[in-house]
Amino acid sequence: MNILPILPTYSEYLSDESQLAGNAQSISFPADEDELRETYLAMKEERTPLTIQGGRTGIVGGAVPQSGHVINLTGMNRIVRFEQTDEEHGLLTVQPGITLFELEREIRRLKVPKPLFWPPDPTEPTATVGGIVSCGSKGCSSYLYGETVDHVEAVRWLSSDGEYITVQRGEQVRVGTDETELLELLVGSEGIFGPLSEITLRLAVRPQEIWGICFFFEGKQDALQFADDVNHKELTTTGADLALLEYIDRRSIDLVESNKEVMTKISALPDISKKAAAMIYMEIHGWQEEAVEEIAESLLELGSEHRSDPDQAWALSGESEVEKIRDFRHAVPESVNLFIQQAHQKEPGITKIATDMSLSHANLTDVVSSYEQDIRKHNLDACIFGHAGDLHLHVNLLPHSQEQYELGRELVDKWAQETSEGEGCLVSEHGAGKLRRDMFLTFGRHNHIRVLKQFKQEQDPLWLWNQGDVLLQESESSDEGKEE
Amino acid sequence: MLRIAVCIKQVPAYDEGTMDPETGLLQRGGLEAVMNPYDLPAVESALQLRERYGGTVDVFTMGPEKAREVIIQAYSMGVDNGYLLADQAFAGADVLATSYTLYQGINAAGQYDLIICGRQTTDGDTAQVGGALARWQDIPHANWITSIHEVGKDYLIVSQAFEHERARIKLPFPCLIAVEREICTPRMPTLTLRLQAKKKSITHLRVSDLADSHKEHYGQKGSPTQVERIYPAKTPGKETVVQTDPGLAVEEILNLVRPRDGETHG
């Protein structure tokens, strides 16, 4: 156990990509379960709050400590074991600190009859699997592969009495009067019930054929209606599926293009025509090239119908080539983070303000129009991008002043209320952390919040883990959340 | 009307994740293959010349049957004709044998005003095939080309980069140039062309199709050099961009690079 005081050289561990500034007295980098437990028990003895950290790539301040001790799990980054369950599936158990980049490398090294992969694909390769599972981050391909929890078989969890508990899929737990699946409670809980020391991932056979296609539209409405049409048509054939449907607006494109010089991965991409008002990025995953081409042909026809020139549409095949467009897509939130970083330097009160809300009963055209109307009304700068397939857009406000920042926060609260009233999901994959906690507690579903609170009270009665994230200890009043 | 030939190669899309961690040897099995990144600006340069001056752009690649994938990619960018030099006899070729095979293949296809090569390949890294090919063709050549200024009826004016200066040189047709990556930004393959690409024919050239059909002049038999080991350089994982005042930036950068107790560096 090596408890280190927070010296200036560790100052970066007091923040994350959200730019929220934190405070802590000590930090540790446990290398294994024993060190993690020893550290926890020592802190528990002194009733010192603990904040769990992974790659600190989060944007809601979940890994930013308020006080006490920081447990950084990036040293627990090993593969524990692999079990091939059948020719096309496997279970890979990893420690939580392994990054997506390292995970991908290790999966490629597995000696298996058919190449495997872990379907969740959040765009930041330095994000850790522990962080991804804790937030339920799912990435762009969730359009085809679904929620992150569906790709987790089991976890090993450090309970409040310092014992490790292995939680398998299907295990039920009673929380108050509710019966719920424990694994589903832990995945997406943002570490408020304690850290995970091992995570068993469900690997699936890797698609042999991957195509990435970008359509550019001079009219934004054409882009939105195209995405809605693609969504409604459910383009699937035997042997291939549409795996990803992303909307990127012009402001997002401009942000990326302005950062091209400092982002080496995208510097070799051609500039996007100034005439493009928006772009739609799609991926087709499949096992037969003909099936992939069949979907691509359908997209070509549909794109032409919506006035996108197929002669200008990008089409790349193979994972390495497709990665070029993925790098562009990833450069969008990265560019927003750079913008916020610079704004934060001028106005320290500015942190990231973005939505992570998804809707179920609407179409993209209406959703984007509604967001844009509000943004215009408040005279704010913002970019909109995200998962068009499940109406899960990341509206990122770009404040140029503290006043605009406050206006932006009010706007996000308004959207949260509307999303809640429309039976949408407020926190889809980034977590609530500290920055979206109040919004979550105000507009989130009452039953869900009640279950989280009860389980927190049972499992972490001293409220030591991740204080300030998701829940507030003192706000036990029953008027929180939305009644169901 | 320019007749342009471009030499391209399929290379493994490797990184440190595809190396054997114990031996350090490249694990090629199951590796995805891509067009050599240095060849993309060569193809783009040729397409831009065709757009400006008219003519045709043909690509030539030597490799296994699978190497047809890079020709399909070139078709998706707008190339007119593709030639695949695939024969068991070509396997294991060094610079000399590779350049000789390309020379034979290009001549089997016809006469070209201009041959364009990429600076080098990412798997061989010799940057010598272009020069050797020009020598076989007995035509002038220039490496390190950073821009093409002018194309006349029988000449080409280009910029050639040296360590500290650039030369503006005029080359008579036929000639060969090896271009730098900075010469242009390669276009993306388009959906229309990508869907048409698979339907386009690729000319398959074997030893028997070449003017010199002596197998001992090709592949490993025709190669005086042997490669002992190939491995990629280690690359850093995360790039951090610090944008602030110079004084503050220095401290931030120092904080990033200073080793800290207990911290694990990947």
Side-chain angles (χ1 to χ4, degrees):
Chain A
M1 186 172 65
N2 194 7
I3 308 289
L4 304 157
I6 291 279
L7 299 171
T9 48
Y10 292 105
S11 60
E12 66 178 284
Y13 294 95
L14 298 178
S15 190
D16 65 8
E17 290 283 359
S18 70
Q19 300 300 319
L20 181 68
N23 186 35
Q25 285 68 55
S26 59
I27 187 168
S28 61
F29 298 87
D32 54 36
E33 284 191 339
D34 289 342
E35 284 189 20
L36 175 60
R37 179 186 9 223
E38 280 173 32
T39 306
Y40 165 62
L41 292 175
M43 294 299 153
K44 185 184 175 189
E45 184 81 21
E46 297 170 6
R47 299 206 166 198
T48 302
L50 300 107
T51 300
I52 307 164
Q53 279 185 354
R56 292 179 299 107
T57 57
I59 55 172
V60 293
V64 178
Q66 292 182 324
S67 66
H69 182 77
V70 174
I71 288 195
N72 185 294
L73 296 180
T74 50
M76 291 177 67
N77 63 346
R78 286 179 290 280
I79 298 289
V80 179
R81 63 186 162 273
F82 172 68
E83 179 195 347
Q84 177 105 38
T85 48
D86 63 42
E87 202 181 38
E88 298 193 341
H89 298 89
L91 296 174
L92 182 70
T93 301
V94 301
Q95 292 184 324
I98 191 167
T99 64
L100 262 191
F101 175 80
E102 293 163 339
L103 178 72
E104 172 69 8
R105 184 184 64 194
E106 295 303 324
I107 290 174
R108 284 184 186 277
R109 283 178 179 162
L110 293 173
K111 291 183 171 35
V112 286
K114 290 182 178 176
L116 302 176
F117 81 125
W118 192 51
D121 60 348
T123 47
E124 176 51 60
T126 62
T128 62
V129 169
I132 290 163
V133 168
S134 293
C135 292
S137 308
K138 49 197 179 182
C140 303
S141 300
S142 61
Y143 185 68
L144 175 63
Y145 300 110
E147 300 294 323
T148 297
V149 68
D150 298 334
H151 304 286
V152 176
E153 180 66 18
V155 295
R156 220 161 119 79
W157 166 47
L158 180 62
S159 69
S160 60
D161 56 5
E163 295 300 316
Y164 285 104
I165 299 170
T166 300
V167 179
Q168 297 283 354
R169 173 163 292 283
E171 280 182 35
Q172 299 291 308
V173 64
R174 180 163 286 281
V175 184
T177 54
D178 295 287
E179 184 93 1
T180 186
E181 182 166 345
L182 184 51
L183 190 70
E184 295 203 348
L185 196 55
L186 292 173
V187 173
S189 65
E190 303 182 48
I192 61 172
F193 308 130
L196 306 176
S197 63
E198 286 180 8
I199 302 158
T200 301
L201 310 172
R202 290 172 151 187
L203 306 188
V205 65
R206 189 182 288 268
Q208 287 173 2
E209 300 287 337
I210 295 183
W211 278 34
I213 300 172
C214 278
F215 279 102
F216 302 95
F217 299 83
E218 289 186 21
K220 188 166 42 188
Q221 291 303 312
D222 287 328
L224 296 168
Q225 282 160 12
F226 169 80
D228 279 329
D229 277 3
V230 170
N231 213 11
H232 295 143
K233 279 190 189 301
E234 293 184 5
L235 295 169
T236 295
T237 61
T238 307
D241 299 283
L242 191 67
L244 181 158
L245 178 62
E246 294 284 301
Y247 171 75
I248 301 173
D249 76 353
R250 182 71 229 185
R251 182 69 175 107
S252 304
I253 295 169
D254 286 339
L255 272 178
V256 173
E257 305 251 87
S258 68
N259 285 307
K260 252 185 175 176
E261 278 183 22
V262 293
M263 292 182 171
T264 50
K265 280 186 170 178
I266 58 163
S267 58
L269 292 183
D271 290 340
I272 291 170
S273 164
K274 293 285 177 202
K275 289 180 182 171
M279 63 189 271
I280 300 285
Y281 170 48
M282 293 157 290
E283 277 182 24
I284 307 168
H285 293 188
W287 285 265
Q288 292 160 12
E289 194 174 6
E290 291 73 19
V292 172
E293 285 174 351
E294 194 182 320
I295 294 180
E297 295 268 11
S298 303
L299 290 174
L300 184 144
E301 284 175 26
L302 207 56
S304 300
E305 284 172 22
H306 289 85
R307 289 175 284 280
S308 176
D309 183 357
D311 292 343
Q312 300 299 320
W314 295 351
L316 294 125
S317 54
E319 277 186 69
S320 300
E321 289 297 311
V322 167
E323 198 62 30
K324 290 177 183 172
I325 314 186
R326 285 201 161 212
D327 286 339
F328 183 91
R329 165 64 180 81
H330 180 43
V332 179
E334 285 276 285
S335 299
V336 172
N337 292 349
L338 275 176
F339 179 96
I340 296 295
Q341 193 183 330
Q342 287 162 7
H344 178 76
Q345 282 167 5
K346 289 178 195 157
E347 291 273 6
I350 291 178
T351 56
K352 182 143 176 163
I353 24 175
T355 67
D356 181 29
M357 305 167 197
S358 53
L359 297 154
S360 51
H361 308 297
N363 60 54
L364 189 70
T365 309
D366 293 342
V367 173
V368 171
S369 300
S370 171
Y371 281 136
E372 287 184 336
Q373 202 175 343
D374 284 341
I375 292 163
R376 269 197 308 273
K377 192 172 155 190
H378 289 77
N379 202 20
L380 293 173
D381 186 9
C383 66
I384 302 178
F385 62 92
H387 318 315
D390 47 7
L391 301 174
H392 174 193
L393 291 172
H394 301 304
V395 184
N396 280 256
L397 292 151
L398 305 167
H400 297 263
S401 66
Q402 187 68 34
E403 188 190 355
Q404 288 190 354
Y405 173 75
E406 301 301 338
L407 273 174
R409 290 201 65 154
E410 284 172 26
L411 206 47
V412 171
D413 279 351
K414 174 184 178 284
W415 292 333
Q417 185 170 2
E418 289 168 0
T419 302
S420 179
E421 286 165 4
E423 300 297 318
C425 178
L426 288 181
V427 176
S428 299
E429 63 172 337
H430 295 160
K434 296 174 183 68
L435 290 177
R436 294 187 190 148
R437 177 198 59 213
D438 294 347
M439 178 199 76
F440 173 70
L441 291 174
T442 308
F443 303 112
R445 290 207 175 84
H446 180 76
N447 278 353
H448 179 52
I449 295 169
R450 182 171 50 76
V451 167
L452 290 178
K453 273 192 173 177
Q454 284 190 343
F455 198 61
K456 174 77 173 173
Q457 200 61 48
E458 289 167 18
Q459 300 303 323
D460 183 20
L462 299 174
W463 286 65
L464 293 180
W465 289 113
N466 285 15
Q467 279 188 4
D469 284 343
V470 188
L471 302 173
L472 276 176
Q473 187 176 7
E474 57 279 1
S475 55
E476 296 282 343
S477 60
S478 59
D479 58 356
E480 281 174 353
K482 182 194 166 203
E483 292 292 347
E484 289 163 305
Chain B
M1 299 281 275
L2 278 173
R3 286 205 70 199
I4 306 171
V6 184
C7 299
I8 60 175
K9 188 183 181 189
Q10 189 176 46
V11 296
Y14 55 71
D15 55 30
E16 65 167 317
T18 50
M19 283 174 57
D20 187 309
E22 286 164 18
T23 64
L25 292 173
L26 202 62
Q27 295 175 318
R28 284 179 184 267
L31 276 187
E32 200 189 8
V34 295
M35 190 190 295
N36 172 38
Y38 290 96
D39 294 342
L40 289 166
V43 173
E44 178 63 31
S45 299
L47 292 171
Q48 287 184 12
L49 286 174
R50 186 191 65 185
E51 283 160 6
R52 199 162 165 193
Y53 300 102
T56 55
V57 176
D58 299 347
V59 291
F60 292 80
T61 189
M62 185 189 84
E65 189 63 30
K66 185 179 160 56
R68 64 173 48 246
E69 290 169 356
V70 290
I71 296 179
I72 289 174
Q73 186 178 346
Y75 282 165
S76 309
M77 294 171 75
V79 160
D80 297 296
N81 301 293
Y83 294 85
L84 173 65
L85 288 143
D87 193 305
Q88 193 58 42
F90 299 150
D94 67 356
V95 168
L96 189 73
T98 301
S99 58
Y100 187 66
T101 311
L102 288 169
Y103 158 64
Q104 288 287 327
I106 289 170
N107 282 359
Q111 297 297 309
Y112 291 89
D113 303 304
L114 175 65
I115 300 173
I116 306 180
C117 297
R119 181 188 204 274
Q120 63 191 77
T121 58
T122 53
D123 59 350
D125 280 323
T126 66
Q128 292 174 11
V129 170
L133 172 57
R135 181 68 190 85
W136 287 116
Q137 295 278 9
D138 198 21
I139 57 175
H141 83 279
N143 287 0
W144 318 304
I145 301 305
T146 54
S147 59
I148 299 171
H149 299 291
E150 189 183 328
V151 174
K153 188 167 174 274
D154 54 3
Y155 68 90
L156 179 74
I157 297 177
V158 294
S159 273
Q160 187 177 29
F162 294 96
E163 196 171 359
H164 298 298
E165 55 272 312
R166 283 176 194 242
R168 192 177 171 100
I169 58 171
K170 185 175 180 179
L171 294 159
F173 288 140
C175 63
L176 181 148
I177 57 172
V179 299
E180 296 288 299
R181 288 180 82 170
E182 68 185 81
I183 192 168
C184 57
T185 302
R187 70 192 63 193
M188 293 294 236
T190 73
L191 181 56
T192 310
L193 290 173
R194 180 64 185 81
L195 287 167
Q196 291 168 356
K198 249 188 85 182
K199 294 165 193 156
K200 283 188 76 162
S201 65
I202 293 171
T203 306
H204 189 158
L205 296 173
R206 297 174 181 81
V207 172
S208 55
D209 299 313
L210 306 179
D212 176 1
S213 56
H214 292 92
K215 287 188 178 179
E216 60 272 23
H217 294 162
Y218 299 94
Q220 201 164 15
K221 285 180 184 168
S223 298
T225 51
Q226 302 293 322
V227 176
E228 201 170 285
R229 185 173 179 233
I230 297 174
Y231 58 95
K234 203 166 182 175
T235 53
K238 184 179 178 182
E239 294 172 16
T240 304
V241 177
V242 176
Q243 286 188 332
T244 182
D245 297 332
L248 294 171
V250 168
E251 193 54 38
E252 278 193 44
I253 292 166
L254 283 173
N255 282 340
L256 287 170
V257 299
R258 273 183 194 134
R260 286 162 287 214
D261 292 342
E263 191 179 17
T264 303
H265 288 284

